[in-house]
Amino acid sequence: MDRRLVLAAALGLAAAAALPARAQEVAKIGLILPMTGPFASTGKQIEAAVKLFQARNGDTAGGRKVQVILKDDGGTADVTKRLAQELIVNDKVVAIAGFGLTPLALAAAPLATQAKVPAIVMAAATSTVTEASPFVVRTSFTLAQVTVPMAEWAARDGIRKVVTLVSDYGPGIDAEKAFTEVFTKAGGTVENLRVPLRNPDFSPFLQRAADAKPDAVFVFTPSGVGAQFMKQFVERGLDKGGIRLISTGDVVDDDILNDMGDAALGVVSTHHYSAAHDSAENKAFVEAFRKAAGFRPNFMAVGGWDGMQALYAGLDATKGQGGQALVDAIKGTTWTSPRGLLTIDGATRDVVQSVYVRKVERKDGELWNVEFGSSPAVKDPVKAAKAP
Ligand code: VNL
């Protein structure tokens, strides 16, 4: 036989032998979440969504079996970092994912860069998170993205004087800045208050807010904390004082909204997801989620669901390859999520999505954030302002 033919046959054999071996190799995903501690509701929501995604979409992508390894960081950045390291080095994961809060995502980002392992941020929402590593892809949102439409709505609705009250760290500061910039440009006046992230006592800040006699208080607290805020808002009598409450959707999060009671009725907020979103995709999602998990999905669940969607689409495109190829494959991807149409921005790796204006209403005996307005295809305004 011609030598070249022998060589080609040998190469063909080698390729054929290599393929099934790769195909059998499990693609592991390291899912790092706060399953315990003050932000455990975020972990619980995302875990349930990831499980549901695999139950409904199967456990293979790009010809590889996808295995999710769940780790609990308790909401502590040092632990997130150690777990990310172990998952990358020992388990040889194709991607790390999760990241319930900004400091946790920022702790893992340098490891993603070093190891060239994609990090799918399903929750953390400070604008800078995607800039911490070229391997970060975000499927949640940014605070600036959802806050700008709130400030615009407030100005349009005749609100003139606002006290902002935010948790004192990355996303809260982004929310405060975005609200203040847009609202003052529209002619309003703003006073800024910040409350500690850990063990927050809102009472003294609510007293100061009441003393300032604003038309409205604008609030950001991270997911899960809104119930505590609402309780103190009522205890201080602010719900009866003629001061309106406006917020990002994090405060009236679907996980806790139904337990807030009548005080939450009428609260206007802006966000990228409401469990009441009126679409066929969302109805199917909420129904399946409630059935499987036993509780209502919130925006964290949708961040987790779409994180899996991004990973599966990416793995399909690379035929199971991770690393830079996987990040590149995810960039620019578009799909219909329970939240609506979603695109991963090819330049920033952030989510481009609709932001909705919603009002808390009682329907069929439950409280819901009912959407009544929307801005389509909103980019992260912080990065949009920096773009050339
Ligand atoms: C963050 C942003 C966390 C929004 C949240 O809940 C949230 C963050 C835990 O970037 O830390 O609702």
Side-chain angles (χ1 to χ4, degrees), residues 13 46 67 117 140 142 181 198 209 238-239 254 270 304 323 336 375:
L13 262 182
I46 295 177
Q67 181 196 350
V117 169
S140 54
T142 77
E181 262 174 36
R198 303 266 165 187
L238 268 81
D239 59 327
D254 272 297
T270 44
T336 302
S375 315

Side-chain angles (χ1 to χ4, degrees), residues 107-325:
L111 299 174
T113 308
Q114 255 172 41
K116 299 192 179 358
V117 169
I120 311 298
V121 174
M122 297 167 160
T126 303
S127 183
T128 52
V129 166
T130 46
E131 291 164 329
S133 166
F135 287 86
V136 167
V137 173
R138 174 152 45 199
T139 58
S140 54
F141 69 110
T142 77
L143 262 304
Q145 185 179 44
V146 298
T147 299
V148 167
M150 184 78 259
E152 289 170 349
W153 180 86
R156 273 203 312 274
D157 206 57
I159 293 172
R160 289 287 165 265
K161 187 175 168 186
V162 170
V163 171
T164 66
L165 177 54
V166 301
S167 293
D168 191 4
Y169 78 121
I173 292 161
D174 276 3
E176 177 190 286
K177 207 167 161 230
F179 191 93
T180 305
E181 262 174 36
V182 174
F183 195 67
T184 50
K185 208 172 270 173
T189 57
V190 181
E191 182 181 334
N192 299 136
L193 300 176
R194 295 179 185 175
V195 55
L197 171 64
R198 303 266 165 187
N199 307 314
D201 177 10
F202 296 101
S203 298
F205 299 97
L206 287 169
Q207 191 55 55
R208 283 178 60 186
D211 292 345
K213 298 194 173 27
D215 302 319
V217 182
F218 164 76
V219 184
F220 163 79
T221 59
S223 185
V225 180
Q228 157 92 348
F229 168 80
M230 195 59 87
K231 194 168 158 270
Q232 296 193 317
F233 190 80
V234 173
E235 279 167 8
R236 289 260 143 203
L238 268 81
D239 59 327
K240 309 239 155 45
I243 299 174
R244 294 172 69 181
L245 179 56
I246 57 178
S247 73
T248 65
D250 309 75
V251 179
V252 280
D253 145 21
D254 272 297
D255 201 39
I256 53 179
L257 175 63
N258 207 25
D259 297 325
M260 284 185 172
D262 287 359
L265 285 170
V267 173
V268 173
S269 63
T270 44
H271 228 211
H272 56 295
Y273 180 69
S274 164
H277 180 62
D278 190 11
S279 74
E281 287 82 7
N282 186 51
K283 287 208 170 85
F285 173 72
V286 172
E287 195 187 312
F289 190 100
R290 280 186 124 167
K291 208 164 155 201
F295 48 88
R296 190 195 288 187
N298 70 0
F299 65 97
M300 292 300 187
V302 169
W305 174 271
D306 286 323
M308 291 302 286
Q309 193 84 53
L311 276 167
Y312 270 46
L315 287 169
D316 279 341
T318 65
K319 302 202 168 32
Q321 220 188 308
Q324 184 70 59

Side-chain angles (χ1 to χ4, degrees), residues 336-360:
T336 302
S337 152
R339 68 182 95 177
L341 193 68
L342 174 157
T343 303
I344 302 297
D345 191 313
T348 65
R349 292 161 278 105
D350 245 325
V351 178
V352 183
Q353 58 192 339
S354 291
V355 176
Y356 307 90
V357 194
R358 319 94 51 88
K359 184 186 258 170
V360 178

